[in-house]
Amino acid sequence: MAKELKTIGVLTSGGDAPGMNAAIRAVVREALGKGLKVKGIKRGYAGLLQEEIIDMEARDVSDTIQKGGTILQTARCMEFTTPEGQQRGAQVCKKHGIDGVIVVGGDGSFKGAQKLAALGINTVGLPGTIDLDIACTEYTIGFDTAVNTAMQAIDKVRDTSTSHERCSIIEVMGRGAGFIALWTGIANGAEDILLPERYDYDEQKLVNHIIENRKRGKQHHIIINAEGIGHSVSMARRIEAATGIETRATILGHMQRGGSPTCKDRVYASIMGALAVDLLCQGKSNRVVAYHNGEFVDYDIDEALAMKKGISEYQFEVCKNLSI
Ligand code: ADP
Ligand code: F6P
């Protein structure tokens, strides 16, 4: 018979994302409501190995749902990618009476959760990343806030770009994934979007497009460049030289990871956090919570990590077609 669940731990790992605090709050309060004890594990897997473990009560998550970042802090931890590190992590959980761990992070963090599960600690992952690059889910905690932050910043760059009749290259985050670039490309009416999944490195085509658009009366030319392609500053120099049109590069950077979460991020993160606790209470382990076809669901982590997701060809075409 499965051991009765008494104490759960919660940690955030990898890059932070707005809405992580809403998820932590939901985990803490759903668990307390079910009569469980909750331990906060600080600084991701690094804090687990260092035994940075605190008791969490309902008041410890007061006044956090509206805050960006993560109150538990986050980290990347190489040691936990080794079998020795994982063994130690499982031992620390046992020492502190932690029967189940909820891990908020991306695919890398889920691999850690998978390893802990194999060592007898029940785990559930929550998709937390601004990049939306987790294949099993159509929603990740933080993406909505990040794209709204980027969209507002790009609107501002566009104002000055139009006044000066310039070309603007705006670089958005997303590691190897182009979802933030695609969404802001559509939302900001960009003339070009460069996605790592699609870019053919044909800069002459880009130059021709900028010149054609100028002839068609466009007063600016907004290029959203995904971080996975990068090199926005040197690209701007080359484009200015080739087109004769003043070109500036703006790299939005870490501002996209901060700020108060949107309503969607607060609500979805809260529901996912509560669901993660319910799954642990049902005796489930090695699961990841996802959003699919309008519903909150869960998958086996092994299956989830094997899934693939790409950029929608149709959405990419829409972006191009609407920017004439
Ligand atoms: P994300 O979770 O956003 O994908 P990372 O890839 O940086 O971010 O992973 C976060 C952390 O998860 C790593 O620093 C490491 O501690 C842990 N991790 C990543 N890959 C593995 C792995 N293969 N096995 C165990 N832990 C891992
Ligand atoms: O995964 C989230 C993310 O913001 C990526 O978009 C970006 O490539 C990376 O993290 C940046 O990481 P760091 O905070 O270590 O610079």
Side-chain angles (χ1 to χ4, degrees):
M1 210 180 91
K3 194 169 140 249
E4 195 199 346
L5 186 74
K6 289 201 181 113
T7 304
I8 65 163
V10 55
L11 63 84
T12 49
S13 168
D16 66 348
M20 281 185 166
N21 285 329
I24 296 167
R25 173 180 174 272
V27 166
V28 170
R29 293 191 173 172
E30 179 78 8
L32 292 173
K34 289 190 148 50
L36 303 172
K37 283 193 178 149
V38 188
K39 306 262 185 189
I41 302 164
K42 303 203 83 179
R43 299 184 180 79
Y45 294 117
L48 177 65
L49 298 185
Q50 297 296 321
E51 297 187 53
E52 293 185 71
I53 296 171
I54 53 169
D55 291 327
M56 294 194 85
E57 300 296 339
R59 294 287 73 75
D60 294 320
V61 288
S62 295
D63 203 23
T64 59
I65 196 167
Q66 80 282 16
K67 290 188 175 144
T70 157
I71 55 166
L72 288 175
Q73 263 83 51
T74 185
R76 297 193 171 98
C77 174
M78 277 308 288
E79 193 185 344
F80 199 74
T81 62
T82 66
E84 298 73 31
Q86 293 150 14
Q87 288 279 359
R88 163 132 181 88
Q91 277 163 9
V92 171
C93 287
K94 284 175 191 152
K95 178 176 164 190
H96 288 262
I98 297 172
D99 318 299
V101 179
I102 294 173
V103 173
V104 192
D107 279 344
S109 304
F110 296 161
K111 286 180 195 156
Q114 190 182 38
K115 302 291 170 12
L116 276 181
L119 292 166
I121 307 298
N122 288 356
T123 57
V124 176
L126 291 183
T129 168
I130 65 162
D131 300 342
L132 196 69
D133 62 345
I134 300 178
C136 69
T137 183
E138 290 147 26
Y139 164 83
T140 60
I141 296 167
F143 175 74
D144 191 58
T145 307
V147 279
N148 276 288
T149 301
M151 179 187 76
Q152 285 166 18
I154 295 164
D155 280 345
K156 293 184 171 87
V157 176
R158 185 189 175 121
D159 288 344
T160 167
S161 196
T162 309
S163 308
H164 287 261
E165 297 175 271
R166 281 176 174 157
C167 171
S168 290
I169 302 177
I170 302 156
E171 187 172 312
V172 296
M173 271 189 165
R175 209 154 23 183
F179 296 104
I180 299 179
L182 176 68
W183 276 59
T184 52
I186 297 173
N188 293 94
E191 277 66 35
D192 275 296
I193 41 169
L194 312 182
L195 310 180
E197 298 89 342
R198 289 279 183 285
Y199 192 45
D200 55 10
Y201 292 87
D202 184 351
E203 221 164 84
Q204 190 54 48
K205 202 161 76 190
L206 204 54
V207 164
N208 296 345
H209 193 211
I210 296 165
I211 295 169
E212 274 163 32
N213 266 348
R214 194 44 62 101
K215 285 187 189 146
R216 292 215 302 263
K218 285 225 173 198
Q219 292 176 316
H220 59 240
H221 192 105
I222 303 292
I223 302 171
I224 310 285
N225 185 28
E227 181 187 16
I229 296 168
H231 303 288
S232 298
V233 174
S234 53
M235 196 186 284
R237 261 190 245 114
R238 289 193 300 274
I239 286 178
E240 179 165 316
T243 60
I245 295 168
E246 270 193 323
T247 304
R248 297 284 189 270
T250 306
I251 299 170
L252 296 185
H254 287 84
M255 67 175 292
Q256 296 161 94
R257 284 237 299 262
S260 179
T262 59
C263 180
K264 181 172 179 173
D265 276 329
R266 295 181 198 193
V267 172
Y268 281 34
S270 298
I271 294 169
M272 287 181 151
L275 182 54
V277 173
D278 296 345
L279 293 170
L280 284 179
C281 288
Q282 289 160 26
K284 292 195 182 177
S285 180
N286 201 46
R287 308 296 295 180
V288 55
V289 174
Y291 183 79
H292 180 62
N293 283 345
E295 304 216 25
F296 295 94
V297 294
D298 60 288
Y299 296 104
D300 183 83
I301 293 186
D302 306 13
E303 274 174 43
L305 288 174
M307 292 181 192
K308 298 267 176 282
K309 110 164 149 189
I311 292 286
S312 151
E313 192 58 47
Y314 185 72
Q315 290 173 21
F316 184 57
E317 286 303 315
V318 163
C319 185
K320 281 200 281 186
N321 297 344
L322 301 189
S323 72
I324 50 172

